[in-house]
Amino acid sequence: DQQVKQNSPSLSVQEGRISILNCDYTNSMFDYFLWYKKYPAEGPTFLISISSIKDKNEDGRFTVFLNKSAKHLSLHIVPSQPGDSAVYFCAASVLTGANNLFFGTGTRLTVIP
Amino acid sequence: EAQVTQNPRYLITVTGKKLTVTCSQNMNHEYMSWYRQDPGLGLRQIYYSMNVEVTDKGDVPEGYKVSRKEKRNFPLILESPSPNQTSLYFCASSLSPGLAGYEQYFGPGTRLTVT
């Protein structure tokens, strides 16, 4: 059973506009959330994370929002750039656990120049 | 350069022929893990290791073995590969469980095809 879900397999956005990638989770024990970015023929690379004690974390053009009551998080990229075109994975974990990450199925973002 | 390396990057084999995919990290990380990525399923954890000689099953451990005899190495062993193990495999490592170490660093992946 998929505990972390990304319901949009793909997203296309014009360069300079905002990209919003969404993620839902079902396990209320999750208290740490991460976004990874993956280019073809490479491994995923860490992008940004958020603890459940926060509802927002910002790093440059990337902002992650967490809505615990809705069990939903989103990644905003502003402004989007062609180099942002990649597959984005949402992941969740339990801080007091064994550092095991539960991944979503990924969203392929295409930024159109 | 801090990195996780995997070998081989590509492997085509036949059913039942034992194989090993190596994984090595040079960051002195305690935690290491193996994932497989399949279309529509995302990344699923196979096995993980909290430290040397400590390993445990992830979500999809059937058909796989691992060992952690040294901190830097975490090989994935398929004793008798089957076609349903055709997948893209990633090794990952992180400093340690805990807030500062939750970001996992991934290797470049091993594309395995079992015929």
Side-chain angles (χ1 to χ4, degrees):
Chain A
D1 184 34
Q2 197 80 22
Q3 299 186 63
V4 179
K5 299 176 183 178
Q6 294 175 256
N7 292 319
S8 298
S10 63
L11 174 69
S12 291
V13 172
Q14 290 285 340
E15 181 179 3
R17 305 295 290 268
I18 185 171
S19 295
I20 300 176
L21 294 88
N22 294 303
C23 177
D24 298 292
Y25 62 96
T26 57
N27 189 341
S28 57
M29 296 296 290
F30 290 145
D31 53 8
Y32 194 68
F33 304 90
L34 308 91
W35 285 93
Y36 281 82
K37 176 179 180 179
K38 185 183 180 304
Y39 292 120
E42 295 182 11
T45 54
F46 170 74
L47 188 58
I48 192 170
S49 63
I50 187 167
S51 163
S52 61
I53 61 173
K54 295 184 174 183
D55 54 18
K56 176 182 173 181
N57 188 28
E58 195 171 349
D59 183 2
R61 297 185 296 113
F62 302 91
T63 303
V64 56
F65 295 91
L66 175 62
N67 182 334
K68 290 187 290 293
S69 60
K71 294 191 179 68
H72 177 83
L73 63 155
S74 60
L75 174 69
H76 292 209
I77 306 173
V78 182
S80 301
Q81 299 174 352
D84 296 330
S85 297
V87 177
Y88 290 78
F89 290 98
C90 170
S93 186
V94 177
L95 274 177
T96 56
N99 199 16
N100 295 339
L101 294 179
F102 294 86
F103 283 86
T105 52
T107 297
R108 181 178 302 278
L109 172 66
T110 302
V111 180
I112 304 164
Chain B
E1 179 190 356
Q3 60 183 354
V4 179
T5 56
Q6 295 178 228
N7 282 293
R9 294 290 310 276
Y10 302 91
L11 179 59
I12 301 174
T13 189
V14 296
T15 299
K17 186 177 181 182
K18 180 179 178 180
L19 66 92
T20 300
V21 183
T22 65
C23 173
S24 182
Q25 50 93 5
N26 63 0
M27 296 170 279
N28 202 36
H29 283 171
E30 291 182 5
Y31 179 95
M32 297 186 75
S33 182
W34 276 102
Y35 296 88
R36 59 180 288 174
Q37 182 188 357
D38 300 291
L41 295 174
L43 283 86
R44 294 178 296 165
Q45 189 177 50
I46 303 170
Y47 268 95
Y48 66 96
S49 170
M50 303 272 280
N51 214 323
V52 175
E53 301 292 1
V54 180
T55 63
D56 210 343
K57 297 177 180 178
D59 290 332
V60 287
E62 293 76 21
Y64 304 95
K65 285 176 56 177
V66 293
S67 69
R68 187 92 182 272
K69 293 182 169 32
E70 307 165 278
K71 199 170 189 178
R72 62 183 293 125
N73 296 323
F74 191 45
L76 179 69
I77 303 157
L78 284 72
E79 295 269 3
S80 183
S82 62
N84 65 11
Q85 293 178 298
T86 292
S87 187
L88 179 58
Y89 291 86
F90 291 102
C91 180
S93 72
S94 68
L95 187 61
S96 67
L99 188 59
Y102 262 73
E103 293 82 7
Q104 293 188 17
Y105 296 82
F106 283 79
T110 296
R111 170 87 52 195
L112 171 65
T113 301
V114 183
T115 61

